[in-house]
Amino acid sequence: MAKQPPHRDPAQDAPHVGPPARAAAGLPAIGHTLRMAADQMSPGRVLATLRKVNQQGGFDCPGCAWPDPDKPHLAEFCENGAKAVAEEATERRITPEFFAAHPVAELAERSGYWLGQQGRLTTPMLLDEGAAHYAPIGWDEAFALIAAELTALGSPDEAAFYTSGRTSNEAAFAYQLFARRLGTNNLPDCSNMCHESSGSALTETLGVGKGSVSLKDLHQADLIIVAGQNPGTNHPRMLSALERAKRAGAKIVSVNPLPEAGLERFKNPQTPRGLVGGGTRLTDLFLQIRLGGDLALFRALNHLLLTTPDAVDEAFVAEHCAGYREFAAEAADLDRPATLAATGLPWEQIEELHRLVLSSRKIIVCWAMGLTQHKHSVPTIREVVNFLLLRGNVGRPGAGVCPVRGHSNVQGDRTMGIFERPGAAFLDALGKEFAFEPPRAHGHDTVDTIRAMRDGRVKVFFAMGGNFVSASPDTDATEAAMRRCRLTVHVSTKLNRSHVITGARALILPTLGRTDRDVSTLGPQFVSVEDSMGMVHSSRGGLRPPAPDLLSEVAIVSRLARAALGPQDPTPWEDFARDYDLIRDRIARVIPGFDDFNAKVRRPGGFALPHAPRDSRTFPTATGKANFTVNPLTAPDVPPGRLLLQTLRSHDQYNTTVYGLDDRYRGITGGRRVVLVNPADAAELGLDDGRFVDLVSEWTDGVERRAARFRVVHYPVARGGAAAYYPETNVLVPLDSTADISNTPTSKAVVVRLEPTA
């Protein structure tokens, strides 16, 4: 039997600090996985659930979007994936009695960790205007309430429909269709806060806003550069792919402000060498770059390639690229002092990377939030593309761009049309298929949605999954904006902070998870997801749902759409809720690459979506070619006595979901309120290890944003930088501090001062 959730809130405790780990996974990962699973489930349920994760005929892990191999291992999951499954498959339940015992004001004082530990939601709940407690409400009554609020709006654009990454393709397609039938493109999603910079840069330069490589390409690469990414915690199954590439002869370069155990050495728990041996050393060259210095690094690398005889693939550039002359002219000169200052690297290390590049024909660059959440993120990623184009490393097996997406199906949601700025071709196809004229005006992304709620321009906020309040920047501003809404609605599996920071009225609609059986009136249903490398495959849960009348996301969207749009709407919403094949038939006629969807998704392993740059070296850009770009060197401006803070995850965390209070790889246990500071910077600031400080961000608006009482930890962070966990530090990220072009919050570049805690 699963253990009871904690009565007290241990997230308030002070953390303990020990030495960081020098390797990832191994026996400790197995032990930690089993302990966390046992906390949530009985032994039989643990076995029945974990053996179906990422298996053919099983369910897709609700954690990260890393692709599955052609022949999955019997245990095709990682430690953090097992934690995600255990959290969802937990035997703990939240009933109406829980809400009767806990007023919302009390729940708002609890940590996100404590809220998440209470269990699965079982009953639709309403917080009425002026009420202190949520109370149960029937499904039909809930849908009627939402429909009444939507139809009372002065414009459909006064509603916003948010989506998290875990929503299935079928639910996402139905959801965006409902929003556009209602008349709005206000479809913000979690991509706006993570890889929007990648999509913006890749669409401009290559014509497709996704990665171009497959898992097989990673195995075949000569050189893999992992920049601004910590796969050991955020995408642990990637370590197996890196290990395989390394054993095939690949070199691996890590570019990061912090040393990460997973990139240093990997003890694969599925091999004897990983369990009892020393594991595999992954990184050949570690470049400990300063925060925001990646643009300067790739500019320097490109300068060296341009000035090295025969380093450029002249034939590829001439046939497939545009803008090379302008790019080469600007890159011909290099400000070496500015480059060294921005990167914090010795010139010898940049030259060593240059030598590795010259000796490698097939190169992949992988990246994540460390590149995408800066003001100059889009130019940085464009410069990465410049680097790959110079040597023809796009459209070649074993080479290409690899933005590693976070949440499972975050990429699929975008493919399905969850986007506030849809293209004309998509809207034309959608309108033709469903015989209506979709709205054409661009909607709000995540940051603009917060601004619109703050200003009273969005009055109804509907979230399909996720934890919007905790995931968004500028926590105080986000919470104040949410409270200005007339109605907030969250479709969720677990309790989180977004349920206790509400509009005048609030609804919680519990839904099925990936692990749950989905049975409609027609019979068992399945959904599909798209992984980080463009592979689409099916997902079928096998557990009995936490409550008998729980609805799937597809059913919730379909029933709400009928209630809000009325009986006159010709869309067969009732049929969609009964038979997901009918949704897939419509997807096949609207979205390129999904032809014969129902047949292909039933094949073992699913199918790959087309990617023109990868498949045929054709580039659907404005020029019809891959575009070189000019990206002037910029670096963050950090005044003396201040540090540049990056927010990051702990090891016991996935996105805003906190599984536990330890960060085993960084030596932090029993708490999360820590700030990692380079010992030399700490000495200059007079901050002893163990001192408690408040983090105060500084921004041009003069507003004081403060995160109180963080323990200083002397840690080998790159000079001038600091690191602390989110969502606790999201309060420090100004709402208006965003990346140029993509409007992504600059969560990896927050100027802070550290004040001793009173």
Side-chain angles (χ1 to χ4, degrees):
M1 180 63 66
K3 296 179 182 179
Q4 292 300 308
H7 175 69
R8 57 181 293 276
D9 196 339
Q12 309 302 333
D13 295 347
H16 303 282
V17 179
R22 303 299 300 272
L27 282 171
I30 295 176
H32 200 59
T33 296
L34 294 177
R35 283 194 301 274
M36 282 214 165
D39 279 347
Q40 303 283 349
M41 298 182 283
S42 63
R45 191 176 178 90
V46 171
L47 180 62
T49 306
L50 293 183
R51 68 184 181 87
K52 292 188 176 181
V53 183
N54 297 323
Q55 300 294 327
Q56 295 173 8
F59 63 91
D60 192 68
C61 177
C64 81
W66 189 253
D68 301 331
D70 293 337
K71 296 180 180 179
H73 193 277
L74 290 176
E76 190 56 54
F77 56 86
C78 65
E79 177 186 346
N80 270 9
K83 294 173 190 174
V85 170
E87 285 270 318
E88 182 176 286
T90 181
E91 293 175 283
R92 300 172 184 172
R93 300 289 181 263
I94 296 179
T95 63
E97 288 74 23
F98 171 89
F99 289 103
H102 297 282
V104 173
E106 175 200 318
L107 294 175
E109 296 300 316
R110 298 284 194 166
S111 70
Y113 169 69
W114 187 91
L115 294 173
Q117 289 298 304
Q118 302 311 302
R120 285 288 296 273
L121 295 159
T122 59
T123 309
M125 304 297 296
L126 168 67
L127 180 68
D128 218 340
E129 191 163 6
H133 294 258
Y134 275 100
I137 184 175
W139 282 107
D140 288 340
E141 187 181 357
F143 293 135
L145 187 156
I146 302 168
E149 287 283 359
L150 291 174
T151 54
L153 296 173
S155 162
D157 289 328
E158 292 180 353
F161 298 90
Y162 176 75
T163 317
S164 84
R166 58 155 298 237
T167 306
S168 69
N169 287 329
E170 292 74 15
F173 184 82
Y175 189 54
Q176 63 82 28
L177 174 62
F178 163 56
R180 292 184 167 113
R181 290 290 289 179
L182 192 68
T184 185
N185 282 316
N186 286 346
L187 285 157
D189 73 333
C190 56
S191 286
N192 298 145
M193 294 184 280
C194 55
H195 268 291
E196 198 67 59
S197 297
S198 300
S200 298
L202 295 177
T203 299
E204 177 187 355
T205 56
L206 301 180
V208 178
K210 302 180 182 182
S212 67
V213 303
S214 67
L215 199 54
K216 185 181 295 185
D217 289 320
L218 211 66
H219 298 157
Q220 297 174 352
D222 298 325
L223 175 64
I224 301 169
I225 301 174
V226 183
Q229 184 193 0
N230 173 19
T233 287
N234 301 333
H235 315 89
R237 287 195 300 149
M238 181 178 176
L239 299 180
S240 299
L242 294 177
E243 179 184 51
R244 180 169 171 177
K246 189 69 183 289
R247 293 190 176 179
K251 299 291 185 181
I252 297 175
V253 175
S254 301
V255 183
N256 208 53
L258 286 77
E260 299 291 4
L263 285 170
E264 187 170 344
R265 185 173 294 275
F266 175 46
K267 295 185 176 181
N268 191 334
Q270 297 174 343
T271 66
R273 176 185 175 90
L275 288 175
V276 298
T280 303
R281 183 172 183 81
L282 294 180
T283 295
D284 297 281
L285 175 63
F286 173 45
L287 302 181
Q288 188 167 20
I289 199 161
R290 283 182 176 162
L291 277 168
D294 304 271
L295 172 58
L297 172 63
F298 280 96
R299 275 181 54 88
L301 198 55
N302 289 339
H303 168 80
L304 290 173
L305 291 175
L306 287 165
T307 55
T308 301
D310 302 321
V312 176
D313 187 336
E314 303 283 357
F316 173 84
V317 169
E319 182 177 356
H320 296 291
C321 300
Y324 175 72
R325 181 177 301 173
E326 295 80 1
F327 156 74
E330 199 273 343
D333 295 323
L334 181 74
D335 186 335
R336 186 178 293 194
T339 298
L340 298 180
T343 62
L345 300 173
W347 185 252
E348 293 74 19
Q349 281 198 330
I350 298 175
E351 289 183 322
E352 185 176 355
L353 175 57
H354 175 231
R355 288 191 293 271
L356 285 173
V357 170
L358 293 177
S359 64
S360 305
R361 182 174 183 272
K362 298 172 291 184
I363 301 175
I364 292 173
V365 181
C366 305
W367 70 88
M369 304 303 96
L371 261 63
T372 66
Q373 293 181 328
H374 296 268
K375 180 174 176 57
H376 56 278
S377 286
V378 174
T380 298
I381 297 166
R382 291 191 305 215
E383 198 67 23
V384 170
V385 175
N386 287 341
F387 163 68
L388 291 168
L389 293 178
L390 278 175
R391 291 178 61 79
N393 277 305
V394 176
R396 173 185 293 163
V401 293
C402 185
V404 182
R405 307 280 176 170
H407 216 157
S408 171
N409 211 45
V410 63
Q411 184 161 295
D413 287 352
R414 181 59 59 87
T415 302
M416 291 297 108
I418 302 294
F419 191 34
E420 76 281 356
R421 293 175 283 118
F426 171 81
L427 293 177
D428 290 345
L430 187 71
K432 179 180 179 181
E433 177 62 28
F434 290 96
F436 80 113
E437 179 52 43
R440 301 281 168 164
H442 289 173
H444 299 314
D445 64 11
T446 294
V447 168
D448 285 337
T449 294
I450 298 169
R451 292 168 177 153
M453 291 191 295
R454 175 197 64 194
D455 299 339
R457 292 179 286 114
V458 162
K459 300 173 182 177
V460 174
F461 177 84
F462 192 106
M464 183 64 68
N467 182 359
F468 186 85
V469 165
S470 292
S472 298
D474 213 338
T475 307
D476 291 345
T478 296
E479 292 187 356
M482 191 71 73
R483 288 189 170 106
R484 290 209 64 193
C485 290
R486 282 287 310 149
L487 175 67
T488 51
V489 185
H490 295 274
V491 179
S492 306
T493 59
K494 302 283 293 293
L495 192 64
N496 63 51
R497 185 160 179 79
S498 293
H499 302 128
V500 298
I501 306 298
T502 72
R505 291 196 290 178
L507 281 165
I508 300 173
L509 304 182
T511 189
L512 298 179
R514 291 273 179 86
T515 57
D516 299 325
R517 285 198 302 267
D518 187 351
V519 182
S520 73
T521 57
L522 190 66
Q525 301 296 313
F526 71 89
V527 296
S528 64
V529 297
E530 178 186 345
D531 65 33
S532 189
M533 293 181 177
M535 292 292 298
V536 179
H537 56 274
S538 63
S539 177
R540 296 174 175 84
L543 297 179
R544 178 183 298 175
D549 63 344
L550 218 57
L551 297 180
S552 70
E553 290 177 328
V554 171
I556 289 172
V557 171
S558 298
R559 290 178 61 174
L560 172 59
R562 179 56 72 204
L565 300 175
Q568 70 276 10
D569 183 79
T571 310
W573 297 109
E574 294 81 3
D575 295 338
F576 286 173
R578 284 193 296 267
D579 186 355
Y580 300 174
D581 278 356
L582 299 179
I583 302 177
R584 286 186 281 270
D585 285 340
R586 300 301 190 103
I587 293 171
R589 294 196 287 269
V590 171
I591 301 176
F594 284 86
D595 52 291
D596 207 16
F597 189 6
N598 271 307
K600 290 194 294 189
V601 78
R602 285 173 163 83
R603 298 173 188 166
F607 63 99
L609 291 176
H611 190 289
R614 176 195 66 207
D615 300 337
S616 60
R617 281 192 162 179
T618 56
F619 300 92
T621 64
T623 63
K625 294 188 174 185
N627 291 317
F628 280 96
T629 53
V630 173
N631 305 292
L633 176 61
T634 61
D637 182 17
V638 184
R642 306 309 191 249
L643 297 174
L644 197 64
L645 177 78
Q646 64 167 322
T647 69
L648 42 67
R649 299 171 181 165
S650 77
H651 189 60
D652 274 355
Q653 175 181 359
Y654 196 78
N655 291 342
T656 59
T657 302
V658 178
Y659 305 132
L661 301 178
D662 298 343
D663 192 346
R664 192 170 73 249
Y665 294 160
R666 297 190 180 107
I668 313 295
T669 58
R672 293 176 49 81
R673 299 185 79 83
V674 297
V675 56
L676 311 181
V677 182
N678 186 285
D681 288 327
E684 290 180 1
L685 296 172
L687 298 174
D688 295 334
D689 188 276
R691 181 122 183 223
F692 282 86
V693 297
D694 291 358
L695 309 180
V696 185
S697 70
E698 297 183 349
W699 178 244
T700 56
D701 60 8
V703 174
E704 180 179 282
R705 297 173 175 87
R706 181 179 296 266
R709 193 171 168 76
F710 279 66
R711 185 199 190 279
V712 173
V713 177
H714 289 186
Y715 200 86
V717 183
R719 288 296 307 270
Y725 303 131
Y726 73 83
E728 291 85 349
T729 50
N730 283 356
V731 65
L732 302 172
V733 184
L735 182 64
D736 294 326
S737 179
T738 60
D740 295 337
I741 302 172
S742 69
N743 207 32
T744 296
T746 58
S747 300
K748 298 294 185 286
V750 184
V751 176
V752 296
R753 66 178 186 270
L754 277 58
E755 296 183 352
T757 296

